[in-house]
Amino acid sequence: MEIIDITNKLSEFEKHLNLNRQTILSAKFGDGKTYFLNKYIEQNEDDTFFIVLHPVNYVVSSNEDIFEYIKRDILCALMQTEELQNIDWKKTIKDVLLGNDIAELTDDILTVLAPHLQ
C-alpha cells in the first residue's frame, strides 16, 4: 500500500488552526482522521501541548455524563505530563471529587499550563 504524502495538508491544517481556534475534524470511518492527527501531533509536539480524547468511550452516556467523562480524561492526561509535577494531585483529585473551590483549582492548573498555551 502506497503512503499518501500529506505534508501540504498538514501545513494547511496548521494555518487553519491559527485562524480558527474551534475546529471540528470530521470524516467517515477509515478515511484517516487518526493518522492525520497523529502526524500533525508528531510534527508539532515540541511547541504545542496536546491532549487526545477518545469520545467513542462516551457514546452510551447522557450529555451531562459525557462532560464529566471529558473533564476526568483531561485531568488524567494532565496528571501524566511532566509539565505538571508541581501540582498536589492528591488535593486536586479530592477537590474535584468533593466539588471544592473548582475556580481555585482551575487557576492552579492554568498557572502551570500558561507557558504552554498560545
Side-chain angles (χ1 to χ4, degrees):
M1 181 174 185
E2 183 180 336
I3 295 177
I4 299 170
D5 181 17
I6 61 171
T7 307
N8 290 339
K9 294 298 180 187
L10 291 169
S11 178
E12 288 176 26
F13 187 62
E14 184 165 8
K15 289 176 188 172
H16 170 80
L17 289 179
N18 287 333
L19 295 172
N20 305 283
R21 299 308 289 175
Q22 296 181 358
T23 297
I24 296 175
L25 181 63
S26 179
K28 65 183 175 188
F29 181 79
D31 277 352
K33 297 176 298 294
T34 300
Y35 176 81
F36 181 82
L37 287 175
N38 286 339
K39 290 296 179 186
Y40 182 80
I41 290 170
E42 216 176 89
Q43 179 179 312
N44 294 284
E45 65 189 349
D46 291 337
D47 57 342
T48 305
F49 183 74
F50 292 96
I51 296 176
V52 178
L53 302 176
H54 300 282
V56 72
N57 299 331
Y58 318 138
V59 140
V60 296
S61 303
S62 68
N63 286 345
E64 294 81 16
D65 289 341
I66 290 171
F67 288 114
E68 293 305 314
Y69 292 146
I70 289 171
K71 288 188 269 184
R72 180 207 59 203
D73 287 352
I74 290 171
L75 183 59
C76 289
L78 290 172
M79 289 173 63
Q80 295 174 10
T81 68
E82 293 178 19
E83 307 295 335
L84 303 178
Q85 295 303 314
N86 296 330
I87 291 181
D88 179 354
W89 287 110
K90 187 174 181 179
K91 178 186 178 307
T92 300
I93 291 168
K94 185 176 112 185
D95 288 345
V96 168
L97 294 176
L98 297 176
N100 294 340
D101 205 355
I102 297 300
E104 182 180 326
L105 166 65
T106 304
D107 287 343
D108 291 345
I109 292 174
L110 288 176
T111 299
V112 175
L113 279 179
H116 303 284
L117 300 174
Q118 296 180 2

